[in-house]
Amino acid sequence: MVLTAEPRNLASRYDVVIVGAGPAGMAAALGARDRGAARVLLVDREVEAGGILLQCIHAGFGLHAFDEEITGPEYAQRFFEQVLEQDVDVLTDGYVMDVASGGRVKLMSPSVGVTGVDAGAVVLAMGARERTRGAIRIPGDRPSGVMTAGLAQKLVNLDGYLPGRRAVILGSGDIGLIMARRLVLEGVEVVGVFELLSHPSGLTRNVVQCLDDFDIPLHLSTTVVGIHGRDRLERVTVAPVDDDRVPIMAKAWDVDCDTLLLSIGLIPDAELARTVGAQMDPLTGGPVVSGTMETTVPGVFAAGNVVHVNDLADWVSMEARVAGDGAGALATGARRPEQDIRLLPGDNVAYVVPHTISSDRPHTVSFRVRRPIHGPTLLRLSDVHQRKVRAVVPAEMVTLKVAPRLLEGFHGDVLRVDAIPATDDRAGEDPS
Amino acid sequence: MGRTLAHDVVVIGGGVVGVTLARVLSRYHLDVVVLERDAEVGFGVSKANSGIIHSGIHGDPATVKGALEWPGNVGWLRLRDDLGFGFAQVGELLVALAEDELPTIETIEAQGRRKGVPGLTRWEPERIRRAQPNLSREVIAALWAPTAGVVNPYEAVLLIADNAVRNGVTIATEQPVIAIDPPDPADPGGPLVLRTPTRALAARYVVNAAGLYADEVARMAGVGTFTITGRKGEEYLLDKRLAGLVTSIIFPCPTATSKGTLVTPTFDGTIMVGPTAEATDDKDDTTTTPEGAAQVFAAAKRLVPAISERDVIAEFAGVRAVADTEDFVLGATARRGFINAAGIQSPGLTAAPAIADHLVEVLHDEGLALREKRDWRPRAEHPVRFAVLSTEEQAELAARDPRFAQLVCRCELITEAEIVDAIDRGARTLDGVKFRTRAGMGRCQGGFCTWRCLELLAERCGLPITAVTKRGGDSWIVCDRSDAAEAPDPTAEAPGTTASGIELAAAGVPADGG
């Protein structure tokens, strides 16, 4: 499997240039081609397209996109084959340095040097990055052996090395859970997973299959409060936390380990969005986007984890198709749909994407809840639409589909999204 | 060992004092060696300090450290002109928060004037607020000293060391001195012999710039006349978005042991608060602590109320080398040829150029002949900083060498060519590459570039990846698969499922979408 295809001749002008060839970028390329964009360029900073999918060698991808469960690299390969069939130019080992107003994209790559191409529209699909030790301020030494779970995943799955021999994992995000299992399979001792919150951050099924099935202890309401080791990590101090998440130092204990993996969350890697002047949403950490996934900078679209951190790659691909479609339409001269309705997060909703929608077409509205509701839950879009689900947890993204017919009787300009316990039978289960 | 084989000067310690002295010595016809115990120069106190070049007003001129503060400041301007490292003369504001601090300001101002520090001005509250609107309203008076500056101390040490090497100095790393043999009794004027675990070097003159361990080195030479204790300082760096919160270094009125907690606009544009000043028995104790953080932020908020511990993005600690005399220990000793440059606590970074000049005089007085080279090259050859170049310059570089178009660190936009250059200039560790190039210092803290840096270090240094370290010693980064504690038998039953089926056992289950 080789996911590279250097363009023989980089054109000087493209209808759509896409930054990042992960699940978002590849799907955006297909969306743009479907919409009639003739020349599409996909740029990725790695030597192969695929993004983080390539290091996700576990299964669990493709259930929605392909009705079949496959691994990350397989998922990438399927999209990449379509990308090549669609005659999309792919520049790997390339990096987009800047997007100037007017659509001039500055990029660098050993094959083309530092150069510029003109773009009718741009799709930002840079994905997310992991939060690091600096974000949570653990006092103590600064030895080697402390790294993010995603970096460890790359070292093990792509490069063939181990991050250490005895590991502690801080944070129960999905990457951390999956790495706990991976490390055990590689012969690394995993002492335990420590989670500040009183509930796991990752999907329940990952807790079962990655921890329970391997007898890896999960310590909830417990966190790492000290890092020790002059050269290499030697041990960490962990402590339970009280209801306000303040460590109870009197109950702290030490755990010997040479490796501490951090799985403490993802942040949209949206620096380029910020640089081009797109308005940012402090709730998501990504750019504000319209129903076609266009940012507040005309002609610059964004999709996938750079907008908001998704739980599944499949959702990323679907969202990115919308962005590619929007970018392709704009680049081929279509008019921009009027964004006449704003969406606002309401009760128990952490954020909503997109931020605005148009009443001329169907939209998928994605959001996450703040607190789990362990029972029937009403997902409500003001008084125009609602859907009942069995339960909601912050680890799983939830969606509402909004068809134009639902908005026929609506004349306002703001819709509020709530996720509240269902107290009666007002709404039936939404078949979608 | 014949006398002719002895090195003229061996400097023990590749910190700012050691390399600055070596560079000054490199202008003469001398055989100079620097022995550094760590994997790279500048990895000790020189890497972990406030990065402040003091204005010159703080030290009592009756002390050695006080007397060398102002000439040191002037020396940094010269070094900057020669070597072009980042140095910004941002000035300092020494502030009084209460009436009873006014006499301290007066004393320091008078001291500064005695030492000839130019530009000292007393500021009234209105002027203070105009210049630094984010300072506390409690500030009632301030002394403005425009000569204070900020440097990136690590960058400076590297450029000084590079330039010394260009002019013929040898720097040997991972060479801790473990013994010093006195001269052969048959030749009492002969060289001292320095022993490291792997080498023995004869030296006509030895300069002890061993920082925190200078007392041990002096004892090895039989002249253990002082002791060094550690005084730890914790520093906290705040988010870049707070850049401009203060534009000069803000000093509170000092206490007996410390200049207090400062608020510093670093050369890189971040705000740094600290340091603490805690005695530590462990000279290598560079831990940050919740107590230290609490102390720093309580003090910093008194100066600049908008500062919050929530904005911390990085923290570190350094240990000051404090002699029992509380002053620099500088000069010749009872052991002929053995010269101390010890106890270099604050303002050691500031004073370093003056210390180096002073030591050259001492060496000369002790009989070292100083014959100037005609071909001394004081100017540095600068590493390229691709990120700050114009597009045209970037394109030109990339056309010449495609490695300039190969991205390694995306947060700081560092190219492969820059990493390779750093390694060619002596980077041997991940930290060495990071501090030279900034690769790994950005938002993702090395998540993206670590592997590529490891590969390049391994490739250029001829090492296996597993031998590359974060900063030398036992700070390995990755190990081989065969090093795992106990590789499981792939045919054995894993709990609940077969090992071979585990990766695919998630039927019907969405997993991590990355």
Side-chain angles (χ1 to χ4, degrees), chain B residues 251-274:
Chain B
F251 280 73
C253 282
T255 65
T257 53
S258 162
K259 294 188 177 72
T261 296
L262 322 180
V263 182
T264 305
T266 69
F267 184 78
D268 292 324
T270 49
I271 298 287
M272 181 159 73
V273 292

Side-chain angles (χ1 to χ4, degrees), chain B residues 21-346:
Chain B
L21 170 64
R23 177 176 177 272
V24 179
L25 290 174
S26 76
R27 67 187 303 159
Y28 305 105
H29 285 281
L30 294 171
D31 169 8
V32 179
V33 177
V34 177
L35 296 179
E36 168 54 46
R37 79 167 177 153
D38 282 332
E40 297 185 31
V41 295
F43 266 24
V45 192
S46 300
K47 191 170 78 168
N49 61 72
S50 302
I52 292 174
I53 303 307
H54 289 289
S55 61
I57 61 175
H58 291 280
D60 178 351
T63 63
V64 181
K65 60 181 184 180
L68 294 182
E69 182 190 10
W70 170 238
N73 177 299
V74 176
W76 276 99
L77 290 178
R78 237 172 28 231
L79 276 175
R80 189 267 316 263
D81 290 347
D82 278 349
L83 301 175
F85 46 79
F87 176 93
Q89 219 163 33
V90 295
E92 73 164 78
L93 212 49
L94 173 69
V95 303
L97 289 158
E99 293 284 337
D100 61 1
E101 289 180 340
L102 293 176
T104 309
I105 290 202
E106 267 159 38
T107 308
I108 292 175
E109 180 177 359
Q111 184 169 282
R113 291 190 189 283
R114 264 206 319 282
K115 289 160 80 174
V117 179
L120 301 181
T121 323
R122 284 292 280 278
W123 282 10
E124 299 310 310
E126 196 200 331
R127 172 112 194 242
I128 297 167
R129 292 201 224 306
R130 218 168 45 233
Q132 302 294 341
N134 296 312
L135 272 195
S136 165
R137 300 269 142 185
E138 317 262 302
V139 172
I140 54 169
L143 174 64
W144 167 245
T147 47
V150 287
V151 289
N152 186 337
Y154 191 70
E155 183 202 4
V157 167
L158 286 175
L159 281 173
I160 295 167
D162 270 358
N163 188 243
V165 169
R166 246 168 78 81
N167 284 295
V169 169
T170 302
I171 295 179
T173 54
E174 293 187 306
Q175 297 292 332
V177 172
I178 52 174
I180 300 177
D181 301 346
D184 190 332
D187 179 17
L192 299 165
V193 176
L194 307 180
R195 297 190 183 278
T196 74
T198 54
R199 298 171 67 166
L201 293 89
R204 292 175 57 217
Y205 294 90
V206 173
V207 177
N208 172 18
L212 286 157
Y213 297 91
D215 53 347
E216 290 176 24
V217 168
R219 274 202 295 280
M220 289 176 204
V223 286
T225 55
F226 60 95
T227 57
I228 300 281
T229 52
R231 189 180 290 154
K232 187 167 80 168
E234 299 181 27
E235 299 272 13
Y236 294 82
L237 283 157
L238 308 183
D239 196 293
K240 257 203 168 129
R241 136 183 98 65
L242 295 175
L245 190 68
V246 297
T247 52
S248 299
I249 309 161
I250 310 299
F251 280 73
C253 282
T255 65
T257 53
S258 162
K259 294 188 177 72
T261 296
L262 322 180
V263 182
T264 305
T266 69
F267 184 78
D268 292 324
T270 49
I271 298 287
M272 181 159 73
V273 292
T276 54
E278 289 293 322
T280 171
D281 295 336
D282 178 355
K283 292 177 178 179
D284 288 324
D285 172 15
T286 54
T287 57
T288 51
T289 63
E291 299 77 28
Q295 198 188 318
V296 162
F297 282 93
K301 284 175 190 176
R302 289 191 67 212
L303 300 174
V304 183
I307 284 174
S308 161
E309 40 282 72
R310 282 214 302 271
D311 291 317
V312 172
I313 50 156
E315 52 197 74
F316 64 89
V319 184
R320 308 169 182 86
V322 180
D324 46 5
T325 57
E326 274 291 341
D327 201 353
F328 295 169
V329 178
L330 227 50
T333 64
R335 170 68 67 199
R336 210 202 70 80
F338 186 87
I339 290 148
N340 279 320
I344 310 300
Q345 56 158 301
S346 179

